[in-house]
Amino acid sequence: MAIDVDKNWQLLIDGEWVDPAAGTYDIVDPATTNVVGHAPEASVEQANDSAAAAKAALASWRRLSREERCAHIGRLGEEIAKRSPDWVDTVQAETGATIGTTENLQVGGPAVDRFRYYANPIDLDENLRPIPTAKGPLGPAGLMSAHVKRQPVGVVAAITPYNFPITNVAGKIAPALAAGCTTIIKPAPQDPLGIFLLGEAVLAAGLPPGVVNIVNGAGPAVPAALVDSRDVNMISFTGSSPVGAKIMENGGKTMKRLLMELGGKGAAVVTEDADIGQAAQAIATVWGFHSGQICTAPTRVIAHKDVYDQLVETLKTFSGFMKVGDPKERDTIIGPVITELHRNRVEEFIQTGKDAGATVVCGGERPELDGYYIAPTLLADCTPDMHVVQEEAFGPVIVVLPYEDDEQAIQLANDSEYGLYSYVFSGDSMRAFALAQQIESGSVGINVIQPHMEAPFGGFKMSGVGRDRGAYGIEAYSELQAINWLG
Ligand code: NAD
């Protein structure tokens, strides 16, 4: 559907579309640098209004039966599925994602899957084994029973990053609603338009007013107000580790419950008996995927010295097949990164690698294209202390380090502040399983890049706090309540 650049985008507060009190700002297509929309900017007062609306809606939403809430969630999933094809142009223009990524992963696809998954009631409540309890100062003897119930945390503010706007929001909102929470969405400032389209689906699905609210802002004032608000019980955040740390600090004052999904610098340990072609292909798949703007990418390759040269050569060969260019062309593998500012950051990142003595095997130069493009870049001869090895680029940049034995592979893999998603590529599954268990990382893939979508997802160390996905999503958005009785 053609983009209406002058569309009057509004905030969704308490079931109504509301004009933004703080004006608008431009959304730029990173592939063309053209303005593709004017995003609404909420005032702090409107952020507070959205929190008050979510709080007011909580009592009746949490009183619904699990099945009634699930029916709403299911309807919302189907509304998204129905509308997604019409969202492609807008979401591609604001994210810069390739057409394949936009159609399959930005709209519909995984977002619909999450709503469909949580449309099935998940009951984690349980009765504990009665235990004999002696007579004491607090009461008579008897068999003590307890029911352990998952109660909704309350009002959840979902603060999300720019890379997969709708998918990230769906991963938070669907389990939060299923657990009985009401929500406020604060999308990333760079690409919020698709989230307002999602708001249209929320209204069409007939969710009660205030159960899902959407506010937006170019700067930190709006999300910071949600973090400070006494009406908000939980912040579900996905984004960078420094912003996550700030939210933890500020949220402490009001004892916020926190789900923190933060940065990553995934290790990919490649053993000498690995299928090097398969390992390189897996690594290369994520290298270029969404221009490297993916937190689970294996960007820190740790290769056994006997296969190091072969792996570097194979990765270089794969880079030759990654067409950088217009994301609308179906054979493009790498589109632009999100903004000029981010392109400059990634270029500076690569420069620090060169300055520190890394060898640029491929990439490293700005492609001669309009828009914010970066060629797939491979930095070899890296040492563990280098900035490019320690920090995330969030761009199509991979570093490679050699290792001598399994002990050193583990030591290098764990020599990172991050611990989100790592990988082991090996021809020996028992060895790979043993290595995986020693890596300090929330998830480890063995010879595979795709995750199990019901497995817990989250980070060790600076990569975050808490887990979601599958039934773990219900745990994330609920509090345990113990109801005790005698008899
Ligand atoms: P970011 O941290 O800059 O912004 C994320 C969100 O935080 C935005 O909505 C922003 O408006 C908001 N924000 C900014 N300042 C704030 C403040 N003071 N208080 C509250 N909220 C504030 O991240 P980004 O650049 O949008 O995304 C890239 C980062 O996200 C990378 O570090 C990447 O690794 C991470 N990420 C992690 C996951 C995961 O699942 N672990 C997934 C995707 C992205």
Side-chain angles (χ1 to χ4, degrees), residues 30-385:
T32 61
T33 75
N34 293 334
V35 172
V36 292
H38 310 285
E41 177 130 27
S43 62
V44 164
E45 196 185 357
Q46 287 179 314
N48 290 332
D49 288 348
S50 71
K55 188 178 178 185
L58 182 63
S60 46
W61 180 252
R62 62 176 289 175
R63 252 199 319 265
L64 293 181
S65 70
R66 223 179 251 124
E67 288 70 20
E68 285 169 319
R69 283 199 301 270
C70 284
H72 280 290
I73 293 167
R75 274 199 308 280
L76 177 51
E78 297 321 307
E79 282 297 332
I80 296 171
K82 200 167 73 189
R83 289 155 184 266
S84 291
D86 293 341
W87 297 352
V88 168
D89 289 340
T90 299
V91 174
Q92 183 177 37
E94 63 175 349
T95 61
T98 60
I99 188 66
T101 299
T102 308
E103 286 173 344
N104 296 312
L105 296 166
Q106 290 284 16
V107 303
V112 171
D113 290 348
R114 297 210 176 142
F115 283 100
R116 286 184 179 152
Y117 177 83
Y118 290 105
N120 297 301
I122 299 173
D123 182 0
L124 300 178
D125 296 349
E126 58 177 340
N127 291 317
L128 295 189
R129 176 178 63 93
I131 52 171
T133 302
K135 178 174 183 289
L138 296 182
L143 273 179
M144 224 31 234
S145 296
H147 179 66
V148 181
K149 191 164 180 56
R150 290 261 159 203
Q151 295 282 16
V153 163
V155 172
V156 175
I159 303 176
T160 51
Y162 67 78
N163 61 344
F164 288 92
I166 297 177
T167 307
N168 278 323
V169 162
K172 295 181 181 303
I173 296 305
L177 295 177
C181 300
T182 56
T183 60
I184 305 139
I185 303 169
K186 208 305 285 173
Q190 298 92 336
D191 51 13
L193 304 182
I195 299 304
F196 295 107
L197 296 172
L198 179 77
E200 293 173 2
V202 167
L203 293 186
L207 266 71
V211 169
V212 177
N213 303 274
I214 307 173
V215 290
N216 184 48
V222 166
L226 296 173
V227 172
D228 287 343
S229 170
R230 290 200 171 270
D231 287 342
V232 175
N233 302 97
M234 173 173 173
I235 302 293
S236 177
F237 175 75
T238 301
S240 62
S241 299
V243 173
K246 211 175 281 175
I247 291 174
M248 286 193 86
E249 195 183 330
N250 295 340
K253 289 173 215 142
T254 46
M255 212 54 78
K256 289 284 183 294
R257 275 55 182 160
L258 297 167
L259 178 62
M260 295 274 129
E261 301 192 331
L262 309 178
K265 186 77 180 178
V269 173
V270 183
T271 63
E272 72 283 5
D273 59 357
D275 177 332
I276 299 304
Q278 186 202 33
Q281 185 176 17
I283 293 164
T285 303
V286 199
W287 186 5
F289 177 56
H290 203 17
S291 309
Q293 299 166 118
I294 168 165
C295 53
T296 55
T299 52
R300 204 162 42 103
V301 179
I302 298 168
H304 191 276
K305 62 181 175 34
D306 293 352
V307 293
Y308 177 88
D309 289 338
Q310 188 192 351
L311 184 65
V312 168
E313 259 325 292
T314 315
L315 284 170
K316 184 181 173 190
T317 305
F318 274 114
S319 78
F321 303 132
M322 296 183 194
K323 182 184 145 190
V324 181
D326 184 351
K328 288 194 165 61
E329 291 173 6
R330 291 217 171 251
D331 60 343
T332 293
I333 303 290
I334 303 189
V337 296
I338 190 76
T339 56
E340 182 177 20
L341 177 72
H342 190 53
R343 192 261 315 273
N344 296 347
R345 258 196 236 128
V346 178
E347 286 181 343
E348 279 163 29
F349 178 90
I350 295 168
Q351 189 59 46
T352 67
K354 290 183 191 169
D355 294 346
T359 303
V360 181
V361 178
C362 60
E365 301 292 334
R366 182 182 293 188
E368 288 183 15
L369 295 163
D370 293 335
Y372 313 130
Y373 293 93
I374 297 171
T377 300
L378 182 60
L379 299 175
D381 303 321
C382 293
T383 53
D385 55 311

